[in-house]
Amino acid sequence: VSTENVERRVLGLTNPGLKKTGHFATTPNLVAAIQLILPGETALAHHHTPAALRIIIEGEGAYTCTNGERCWMEPGDLILTPAWSYHDHKNEGNGPMLWLDGLDVPLIDAMDTIFFELYPGKRTQPQTQADQASMARFAAPGMRPANFSWDKNYSPLTKYPWKNMVQALDGMLASDASPYDDLRLEYFNPHTGGPVMSTIACYAQKLRAGAHTQKHRHNNATIYHVFRGSGYTVIDEQRLDWSERDVFVIPGWHWHEHVNLSASADAVLISYTDEPLLRTLGILREENDAGQ
Ligand code: GTQ
Ligand code: FE2
């Protein structure tokens, strides 16, 4: 298909066990999809009530424009297009650009409140901010422009570049490791300290060479992109082997543990989850093997 004729070129990662009306689902609240744009193509500007994020898989020279801010995409970057933000994508590079889309479509659909509008009159929205303006505003940890205010319920940082993520993971203290997730960082809203969006939190974690985490379970569901390395995750009794660029899902309330198969190379997983939604509702639950 050509992007001239369709809204987006997307493969939905459908969970056939979730029977939803109208839209497919990957978990009860979230979807995952792979999007592709070819050199010269645009995916036209629109906005919608479902919140979205992108985890970049492959390519260079393409951007997502969110609320007039162009964010250039590189593999491993996280880019936000929060609820009701106008967004379009354009590939100005020489090769295909692929990324993983994450949205809370099933949640918003269940509330029967999916609103959607094309950007009026144009395929792409005008650039109204400097390239990657939000990254300039939050260029150093703990610092923000004094002359800056923010009243939205999502992060004022639109792009979280892979370089910062890798640097932060590499600098992480072993004493901050989790028994269930090894070295894990949250992508957070620098304005509030909270999750990047009100319904979806994002994480990056390093499973150190030879790591084998303890098992636990929680009722939030998590969708993973394998950024580096190879290993497997045991979900209940089922072993899911994974390697770079794979996508896998841990459904809510299933026991899981992660294993890095390499004795010498670290593995890095990027993930998103509906944890903030469940926390807000006061129904987030977690337990480990010992029932704690
Ligand atoms: O890129 O704007 O996978 O609106 C589903 C809906 C991607 C997008 C999806 C969307 C988009
Ligand atoms: Fe969209």
Side-chain angles (χ1 to χ4, degrees), residues 130-141:
D131 266 28
Q132 310 199 131
S134 67
M135 281 170 58
R137 293 191 185 105
F138 295 95

Side-chain angles (χ1 to χ4, degrees), residues 8 10 33 35 46 48 54 81 87 89 99 101 103 105 116:
R8 296 286 187 269
V10 161
Q35 185 161 166
H46 66 203
H48 37 68
R54 330 282 163 190
T81 63
H87 52 281
H89 316 288
W99 63 85
D101 286 319
L103 298 97
V105 166
F116 173 99

